[in-house]
Amino acid sequence: MRWFHVFTSLGLVVCVSGVLLLMRPDTHGSRPDPSPFFPASDSEVLLRQVPGEGSAPSFGGTPIYDACALVTIDSLTRLGVTLNHDRVVMHDYLDGDVPPEAAFEQPGDFVSGCSYGLSNGNALLVSVYQTPYISPKDLDFQMGRPERAGAPTRTEDGLSIAHVELDDSVEIRLWKPGLLVVVTLQTDKPGPYGSLDAQTFATRLETIAKTALSHGPTAPMRHVYTSLLDKVKHPCEVVSTEVFLASFPSRSAAAVQTQFHPKASLTPMERHPESALQGASLCSRHNIVPGGTTNKAEYRELDLKITWWDKTQAAVDLNSYLCDPADRHPFGPPVTVSPSVGTGQTCLTDTRIDWVLNFLVDNVNVSLDGGALTTAPPALQRQAELMPAAQAIVSAGVFR
């Protein structure tokens, strides 16, 4: 199951999976600052979670709840529960309305998801299942889990509520007709949640989610970068709807997943004996079709990775390494693409199951892969699919 799905008024879906919580890097050595994610000074936080603007998006006319708005970073902080700065925060959400004609059921999938890495090494996951994104049959099956597990259910404030105790987690389940929210607290790693034990924390999480549900659907939470990464576009702005359509013009409904590296860090250059500050992020945009990813005839995907550096030479080094046939590559030499796009070399690198298109835009390395779901497609097929998207990215730029 993927952490992504977000829609616009044209039926385009953007889902953010893996919004990262960055800490400020150590500029005096090769290792990042090991301080907690929430340091004494707020100025040290490079990514913030803030409420979204406007109304909740709808899918086929149904307003959709946002998972990160049901359990927020602020609500965890008020409980004394801190995040693990080495883990990503993943967020799937709808960022706009999906009209009924584009609102295809997605088999068994959640419509919004949010995952937080906690400081004791466990994770907290929030999943929202709503019809018509999920079929009534699939939703009924999900709602029946407490009964199948023998967990008691109670009714409170119009919600059915159950806690399902598992060997390595606790599931807090809240549901009503057409809606199920599952808050999963991992418990397999030892250690408290702030000053709370797992059972007390689960009880508090139930209250937090229930209170948020009582307010109704809201706009998705936003994750906003400051400082080091605020000049580079969000990766899903780079691989925009227009970029997707450049490669797949007949595929009208596109979705996005994103995942960011958990922190910026000093990284050795490929071909110079010094380090540079590196940040990276990923976004995958795909179309929403009946049957989801099982519909291989219609499903298309465009995966992006951008790697940002504070030194242009580091970006040039990485581009040169990726495109140099004389260098060592795990699955064979790269294939040169000519004419190139961007400000450096352009090439295809082999991952054995696919080909990745690499190019350079100033001090940002860009990699693209995806396309039709085929096994080890010919390099020329991927080049034909990916080059229009690459040209659109260069034309639009990667900086704000």
Side-chain angles (χ1 to χ4, degrees), residues 11-12 18 34 101 126 144 151 181 201 204 225-226 238 244 253 319-320 359 383:
L12 301 178
E101 63 270 19
V126 184
V181 174
F201 186 30
R204 299 289 182 84
Y225 289 99
T226 61
V238 176
F244 181 88
N319 178 248
S320 298
F359 56 100
Q383 179 178 332

Side-chain angles (χ1 to χ4, degrees), residues 307-355:
T307 304
W308 169 92
W309 305 86
D310 66 343
K311 298 177 182 177
T312 301
Q313 187 60 58
V316 172
D317 277 10
L318 179 57
N319 178 248
S320 298
Y321 161 73
L322 290 172
C323 293
D324 187 353
D327 217 320
R328 296 182 62 184
H329 298 273
F331 302 119
V335 176
T336 299
V337 175
S338 182
S340 63
V341 295
T343 55
Q345 302 177 62
T346 302
C347 63
L348 289 159
T349 54
D350 189 2
T351 65
R352 188 161 291 178
I353 60 173
D354 207 346
W355 291 90

Side-chain angles (χ1 to χ4, degrees), residues 380-400:
L380 289 178
Q381 175 185 327
R382 276 295 185 255
Q383 179 178 332
E385 289 178 332
L386 298 176
M387 279 297 286
Q391 291 161 350
I393 287 173
V394 172
S395 177
V398 299
F399 297 104
R400 297 188 187 280

Side-chain angles (χ1 to χ4, degrees), residues 22 65 206 250 257 268-269 346:
L22 290 175
Y65 285 87
E206 177 195 308
S250 64
Q257 59 157 332
M269 292 187 186
T346 302

Side-chain angles (χ1 to χ4, degrees), residues 11 18 20 43 58 124 128 132 160 167 179 182 188 206 231 233 283 287-288 323 367 377:
L20 75 107
S43 65
S58 69
L124 174 65
V128 176
S160 297
D167 291 339
L179 171 69
V182 182
D188 56 332
E206 177 195 308
K231 299 297 188 296
K233 290 180 180 178
C283 178
N287 57 337
I288 297 297
C323 293
S367 296

Side-chain angles (χ1 to χ4, degrees), residues 75-269:
S75 66
L76 297 176
T77 304
R78 286 192 292 269
L79 293 180
V81 177
T82 56
L83 301 186
N84 182 344
H85 63 248
D86 285 330
R87 293 283 295 275
V88 293
V89 172
M90 294 185 286
H91 186 197
D92 289 73
Y93 61 97
L94 300 181
D95 74 345
D97 296 335
V98 184
E101 63 270 19
F104 303 112
E105 289 178 352
Q106 299 299 294
D109 206 358
F110 50 74
V111 66
S112 181
C114 190
S115 173
Y116 300 116
L118 305 178
S119 58
N120 65 2
N122 290 313
L124 174 65
L125 302 92
V126 184
S127 304
V128 176
Y129 299 87
Q130 274 187 266
T131 55
Y133 190 84
I134 187 175
S135 72
K137 179 181 178 180
D138 287 345
L139 184 60
D140 286 344
F141 179 79
Q142 288 283 355
M143 288 178 174
R145 178 172 171 80
E147 182 179 359
R148 295 192 299 272
T153 299
R154 72 182 196 277
T155 302
E156 186 176 309
D157 299 329
L159 292 170
S160 297
I161 302 172
H163 288 213
V164 180
E165 304 280 347
L166 304 172
D167 291 339
D168 58 356
S169 62
V170 178
E171 293 180 353
I172 304 105
R173 290 179 164 254
L174 309 94
W175 69 96
K176 61 182 180 180
L179 171 69
L180 166 67
V181 174
V182 182
V183 182
T184 303
L185 173 62
Q186 290 184 344
T187 58
D188 56 332
K189 295 182 175 61
Y193 303 84
S195 61
L196 309 175
D197 59 29
Q199 184 175 8
T200 304
F201 186 30
T203 300
R204 299 289 182 84
L205 287 170
E206 177 195 308
T207 301
I208 289 170
K210 186 171 62 175
T211 300
L213 284 169
S214 71
H215 297 153
T218 62
M221 296 295 287
R222 294 187 300 121
H223 294 86
V224 180
Y225 289 99
T226 61
S227 187
L228 296 170
L229 297 182
D230 64 351
K231 299 297 188 296
V232 181
K233 290 180 180 178
H234 186 287
C236 294
E237 294 179 59
V238 176
V239 61
S240 63
T241 301
E242 292 75 19
V243 168
F244 181 88
L245 294 177
S247 282
F248 310 113
S250 64
R251 316 292 171 174
S252 61
V256 171
Q257 59 157 332
T258 67
Q259 181 174 0
F260 299 84
H261 286 206
K263 57 192 173 186
S265 59
L266 285 169
T267 304
M269 292 187 186

